Amino acid sequence: MRTALLQSSGRPGSVLGNLKVLDEAAERAAAAGAGLLAAPEMFLTGYAIGDDIARLAEPADGDSADAVAEIAGRHGIAIAYGYPERDGDAVFNSAQLVSAEGARLANYRKTHLFGCLEREHFTPGGRQVVQAELNGLRVGLLICYDVEFPENVRAHAVAGTDLLIVPTAQMHPFQFVAESMIPVRAFENQMYVAYVNRVGREGEFEFVGLSVLAGPDGVARARAGRAEQLVSADADPVLLAASREANPYLLDRRPELYV
């Protein structure tokens, strides 16, 4: 499945503006043959927007979710995107996956919150592994800081995730995560990892870009630079199966020792 990564910070504070950016990217990605478009963490609203996080938060089935579903259906491409999710009085840093037909397939709430901004504005999620079947692949969701905990990615590997989508707001000076850690996570867990980042300055943060689709062999199949960019590459189930056979980490585990 050709997977496109939308490296962009969109229009912070403007949901309508970000839906327009997503619509244009979906059109381009679908025209290039992609079956999935992934957008960054908190893409629908912006990340460093302070109290506007709570103001702009919506339910998982809210108006913005309907708008994304319409974009996906119109262009015939699945979309994964980050947004602030409201559930009663709680607000979660969430990522949602919708199918190319516009059906909501999976919704994940970030479990490991990073820094003062996130701890002030969000409630941590309580479910480690969220997955959906998409075009013959088992797709999982994590968000940014979550992927830096090896336990999270290994839990996905054990649960059979083939392609892990990680909407991200990775900032300076932590670019080594995109450059080094993500390909290693993909290799040690024998999966594809799509790490899609924001880019440029937003409030006090400088997002570093460097979005990457890493394969189970640890090779970056697609890599963005430091500007707004749409990149894509294939998540190939044939290569994945061959890599898992050649690198049987999951079969050779001794979990009784890992306590």
Side-chain angles (χ1 to χ4, degrees):
M1 177 175 63
R2 182 153 290 265
T3 301
L5 311 182
L6 172 58
Q7 178 168 286
S8 172
S9 287
R11 309 292 179 263
S14 173
V15 173
L16 289 177
N18 292 322
L19 286 169
K20 184 174 187 296
V21 173
L22 191 66
D23 190 359
E24 293 170 349
E27 181 178 24
R28 290 168 55 202
L36 169 65
L37 171 67
E41 181 176 7
M42 293 285 287
F43 183 75
L44 284 191
T45 59
Y47 181 87
I49 58 172
D51 291 339
D52 280 347
I53 290 174
R55 182 178 67 83
L56 296 174
E58 295 184 26
D61 59 354
D63 291 344
S64 293
D66 289 343
V68 174
E70 189 279 330
I71 291 169
R74 179 157 40 84
H75 295 298
I77 186 171
I79 298 176
Y81 65 98
Y83 73 107
E85 178 193 355
R86 178 169 293 284
D87 186 356
D89 292 332
V91 176
F92 299 91
N93 184 337
S94 295
Q96 186 148 232
L97 174 66
V98 300
S99 74
E101 294 74 36
R104 293 172 52 238
L105 298 180
N107 190 73
Y108 170 76
R109 295 167 171 176
K110 189 173 186 177
T111 54
H112 293 70
L113 301 180
F114 178 82
C116 296
L117 182 148
E118 293 192 14
R119 295 189 184 104
E120 177 181 353
H121 292 284
F122 296 114
T123 297
R127 187 176 173 191
Q128 187 179 37
V129 176
V130 173
Q131 299 169 311
E133 299 296 322
L134 182 67
N135 296 344
L137 293 173
R138 185 169 296 179
V139 176
L141 296 167
L142 290 177
I143 299 174
C144 198
Y145 194 41
D146 290 327
V147 80
E148 297 178 35
F149 293 81
E151 300 88 346
N152 285 337
V153 188
R154 181 49 55 88
H156 269 276
V158 171
T161 294
D162 300 314
L163 169 61
L164 184 62
I165 304 171
V166 189
T168 294
Q170 182 65 69
M171 59 207 57
H172 178 81
F174 305 111
Q175 48 266 33
F176 69 89
V177 174
E179 293 171 338
S180 302
M181 184 183 290
I182 296 306
V184 170
R185 286 282 183 270
F187 180 73
E188 70 189 1
N189 290 288
Q190 288 300 293
M191 63 173 61
Y192 286 91
V193 180
Y195 186 80
V196 54
N197 199 10
R198 305 178 70 85
V199 66
R201 186 164 291 280
E202 186 180 333
E204 63 183 288
F205 304 113
E206 180 188 348
F207 299 113
V208 299
L210 302 175
S211 299
V212 59
L213 177 64
D217 53 3
V219 174
R221 292 295 193 274
R223 168 80 74 181
R226 298 291 189 101
E228 293 207 353
Q229 198 170 354
L230 182 68
V231 298
S232 64
D234 290 329
D236 181 358
V238 174
L239 185 148
L240 182 60
S243 183
R244 286 173 172 171
E245 184 175 355
N247 300 286
Y249 285 133
L250 299 183
L251 292 176
D252 292 343
R253 292 171 65 242
R254 296 186 60 196
E256 71 276 9
L257 300 179
Y258 313 149
V259 293

